[in-house]
C-alpha cells in the first residue's frame, strides 16, 4: 500500500509540473527607435548641424591662432625681446581662453544631446505604456540587455510606426 501511494504521489508530482505562462514579454531596440523615427532622426540631424557649425567656428579660430603665431615668429628678429615675450604671453593667454571656451562648447553640446534625447524618451515612454496595455505585454526589455531572444518578440518596428504617427516634430532646446 505504501509503495502504491508513493508511486502515485511521484506520478502526480511529475505530471503536474507543466506551467502555462500567461505573461507576455517583448523587447525593443531603443537605439533604433531614436535613430530611425522621424522625431529621433530630426534630433540627430539638428545636433549634427549644430556640431558642424561649432567645429567650423573652432577650426576658424585655430587658423587665426596659427596665423598669429606665424606672424609673431616672423617678427621675432624685428621687435625687441620684451615686446616679443609680451606678444607670446598674450597669444598664450588667448589660446588658453580659446581652450576653455572650446571645452565649454563641447560639454554644452554633450549636455544638449543628452537632454534632448531624454526629452524624446519621455515622449516615447507613454507610447510604450499604452502599447503594452493594448497588447497585454507584461514586460518590455531593451534589446541591448538581452543575450538571446526570439525575433517574434521584437516590437521595435511597430513602436517606430506609432512614434512616427504621434510625435510629428521635435525641435532641440538650445
Amino acid at each position: 500500500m505504501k509503495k502504491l501511494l508513493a508511486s502515485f504521489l511521484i506520478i502526480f508530482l511529475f505530471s503536474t509540473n507543466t506551467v502555462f505562462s500567461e505573461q507576455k514579454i517583448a523587447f525593443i531596440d531603443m537605439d533604433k527607435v531614436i535613430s530611425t523615427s522621424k522625431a529621433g532622426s530630426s534630433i540627430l540631424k539638428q545636433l549634427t548641424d549644430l556640431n558642424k557649425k561649432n567645429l567650423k567656428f573652432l577650426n576658424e579660430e585655430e587658423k587665426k591662432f596659427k596665423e598669429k603665431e606665424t606672424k609673431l615668429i616672423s617678427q621675432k628678429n624685428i621687435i625687441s625681446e620684451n615686446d616679443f615675450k609680451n606678444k607670446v604671453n598674450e597669444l598664450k593667454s588667448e589660446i588658453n581662453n580659446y581652450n576653455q571656451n572650446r571645452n565649454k562648447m563641447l560639454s554644452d553640446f554633450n549636455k544638449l544631446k543628452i537632454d534632448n534625447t531624454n526629452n524624446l524618451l519621455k515622449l516615447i515612454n507613454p507610447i510604450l505604456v499604452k502599447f503594452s496595455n493594448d497588447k497585454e505585454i507584461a514586460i518590455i526589455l531593451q534589446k541591448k540587455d538581452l543575450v538571446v531572444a526570439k525575433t517574434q518578440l521584437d516590437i521595435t518596428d511597430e513602436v517606430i510606426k506609432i512614434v512616427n504617427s504621434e510625435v510629428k516634430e521635435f525641435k532641440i532646446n538650445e
Side-chain angles (χ1 to χ4, degrees):
M1 180 75 173
K2 287 184 181 181
K3 287 184 180 183
L4 181 63
L5 184 60
S7 61
F8 178 73
L9 184 62
I10 291 174
I11 293 172
F12 178 74
L13 288 175
F14 282 117
S15 65
T16 60
N17 200 11
T18 308
V19 177
F20 296 100
S21 174
E22 295 183 26
Q23 302 294 328
K24 289 185 181 180
I25 296 175
F27 67 89
I28 187 167
D29 186 353
M30 288 304 290
D31 294 333
K32 183 177 178 183
V33 171
I34 290 172
S35 64
T36 59
S37 67
K38 290 177 185 175
S41 59
S42 172
I43 288 175
L44 294 176
K45 183 183 181 317
Q46 293 174 58
L47 289 171
T48 301
D49 292 345
L50 180 62
N51 193 35
K52 285 180 183 178
K53 181 181 144 190
N54 288 346
L55 288 175
K56 182 179 177 184
F57 171 76
L58 293 174
N59 287 334
E60 288 173 359
E61 290 295 309
E62 286 179 14
K63 285 180 184 178
K64 288 178 185 177
F65 287 125
K66 287 181 182 179
E67 289 172 4
K68 284 183 180 181
E69 180 185 22
T70 306
K71 184 179 175 184
L72 187 59
I73 290 172
S74 67
Q75 294 177 346
K76 182 177 181 179
N77 294 332
I78 299 172
I79 60 175
S80 69
E81 192 174 323
N82 284 339
D83 287 343
F84 179 75
K85 286 181 182 179
N86 289 338
K87 288 186 179 188
V88 167
N89 288 335
E90 285 178 26
L91 183 61
K92 284 182 182 180
S93 174
E94 288 177 22
I95 291 173
N96 285 336
N97 288 336
Y98 163 78
N99 286 332
Q100 289 173 352
N101 290 334
R102 185 190 70 195
N103 290 338
K104 184 180 183 319
M105 188 181 285
L106 291 174
S107 66
D108 289 347
F109 176 78
N110 288 333
K111 184 179 182 318
L112 181 71
K113 183 178 179 181
I114 290 169
D115 289 345
N116 284 285
T117 304
N118 286 339
N119 289 340
L120 178 62
L121 291 174
K122 286 178 186 175
L123 293 175
I124 293 174
N125 192 39
I127 294 170
L128 285 175
V129 170
K130 184 178 183 307
F131 183 83
S132 69
N133 288 336
D134 292 347
K135 301 286 184 176
E136 297 177 353
I137 299 172
I139 299 173
I140 298 177
L141 302 170
Q142 285 202 45
K143 185 177 182 179
K144 66 180 180 183
D145 296 330
L146 298 176
V147 177
V148 177
K150 291 183 178 181
T151 56
Q152 296 90 342
L153 300 176
D154 189 359
I155 59 170
T156 304
D157 294 330
E158 295 174 65
V159 171
I160 289 173
K161 290 176 187 174
I162 297 170
V163 169
N164 285 340
S165 67
E166 292 191 20
V167 182
K168 298 290 183 191
E169 189 175 328
F170 193 93
K171 297 266 188 207
I172 61 172
N173 301 322
E174 291 188 49

